[in-house]
């Protein structure tokens, strides 16, 4: 049975649950994607930055040979900051397609609004840890991404880590509307205003870090421990579910797509078991009230926080 999906402004269907693959390297990524597809996932989220698209492509090739059809899948990739120059957009997309072994992407996102120095160094940082950036506005990059749609290389384009004002600028000035805005979101970072804006403009919001990246250095540094939160735990116990499943269900009931990352087959399976229960209005409100605003943010792109297009100085 197909899992619930949302409808993009293009008319395409995007599964509400996908597998995130950030920091999933080489063989671990291959195994994770295989386990996810075997468990029923049909939505895989990746990016050139993650350096695992070849491994994902190998898994897809094997699954296609077993009878899986390309049109059953929803594959997302992203354009990293060092590829924002208009001359670099098409080659970057083509490289992702080649590595994935695909003719087209279902969704291609601009990973972040700030342009880094051109070249193959993903993190061109100076001795002070600040990114070397270019004076390229994201709209110049967006206009070339639109041509990828025209060429049939991608079915839809969108943005990631864009604040409300930046997203609305693309809406106003772009020829093709962004289908998705992918941002960090979890109960401590609800992005309620952004979700309102997305809904009003027929843009789908996707949440990365939907369970707060447990065990990470960022979670420790910013004191984000969602799976131990008393409110989340109480609700999970009431439903006979895990705290992680409750966090994912909260997003799905808001019509937010979730892409939890895991390399553990049992966890991948567990994350998919969220469509057999419902949270009450009171439970949704209780989780909404956990929002800490910007203080709940784990991913901050601090290396470019002095840049005028740094997203997190604006409203989410």
């Amino acid at each position: 049975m197909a899992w619930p999906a949302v409808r993009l402004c293009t008319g395409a269907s995007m599964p509400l649950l996908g597998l995130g693959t950030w920091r999933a390297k080489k063989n671990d990524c291959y195994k994770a994607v295989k386990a996810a597809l075997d468990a029923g996932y049909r939505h895989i989220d990746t990016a050139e930055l993650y350096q695992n698209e070849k491994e994902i492509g190998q898994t897809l090739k094997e699954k296609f040979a077993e009878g899986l059809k390309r049109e059953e899948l929803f594959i997302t990739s992203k354009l990293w900051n060092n590829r924002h120059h208009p001359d670099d957009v098409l080659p970057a997309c083509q490289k992702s397609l080649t590595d994935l072994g695909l003719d087209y992407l279902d969704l291609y996102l601009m990973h972040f609004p700030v342009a880094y120095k051109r070249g193959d160094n993903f993190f061109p940082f100076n001795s002070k840890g600040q990114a070397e950036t270019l004076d390229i506005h994201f709209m110049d990059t967006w206009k070339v991404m639109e041509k990828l749609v025209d060429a049939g290389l991608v079915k839809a384009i969108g943005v990631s880590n864009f604040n409300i004002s930046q997203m609305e600028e693309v809406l106003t000035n772009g020829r093709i509307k962004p289908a998705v805005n992918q941002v960090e979101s979890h109960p401590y970072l609800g992005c309620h205003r952004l979700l309102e804006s997305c809904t009003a403009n027929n843009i789908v919001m996707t949440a990365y870090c939907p369970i707060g990246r447990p065990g990470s250095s960022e979670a420790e540094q910013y004191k984000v421990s969602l799976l131990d939160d008393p409110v989340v735990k109480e609700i999970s116990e009431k439903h006979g579910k895990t705290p992680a499943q409750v966090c994912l269900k909260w997003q799905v009931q808001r019509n937010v797509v979730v892409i939890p990352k895991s390399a553990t087959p049992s966890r991948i399976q567990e994350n998919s078991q969220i469509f057999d229960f419902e949270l009450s209005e009171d439970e949704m409100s209780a989780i909404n009230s956990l929002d800490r605003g910007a203080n709940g943010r784990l991913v901050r792109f601090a290396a470019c926080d002095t840049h005028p297009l740094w997203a997190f100085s604006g409203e989410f």
Side-chain angles (χ1 to χ4, degrees), residues 44-49 53 75-79 92-93 96-97 100 105-111:
I44 306 296
D45 181 276
T46 185
E48 183 189 8
L49 175 69
E53 291 184 322
I75 308 295
T76 300
S77 188
K78 308 178 194 75
L79 180 81
C93 180
S96 287
L97 287 170
L100 290 164
L105 293 168
D106 296 279
L107 179 64
Y108 197 48
L109 303 177
M110 195 185 313
H111 215 143

Side-chain angles (χ1 to χ4, degrees), residues 255-271:
N255 249 12
V256 174
V257 174
V258 287
I259 48 169
K261 181 260 175 180
S262 180
T264 307
S266 60
R267 194 72 48 76
I268 290 169
Q269 179 78 39
E270 176 190 299
N271 288 342

Side-chain angles (χ1 to χ4, degrees), residues 278-303:
E278 291 288 318
L279 300 176
S280 69
E281 286 188 24
D282 287 346
E283 289 168 337
M284 290 292 290
S285 295
I287 298 173
N288 288 342
S289 71
L290 298 176
D291 188 46
R292 298 177 180 177
N295 290 330
R297 187 177 302 284
L298 293 166
V299 181
R300 306 194 178 200
F301 287 83

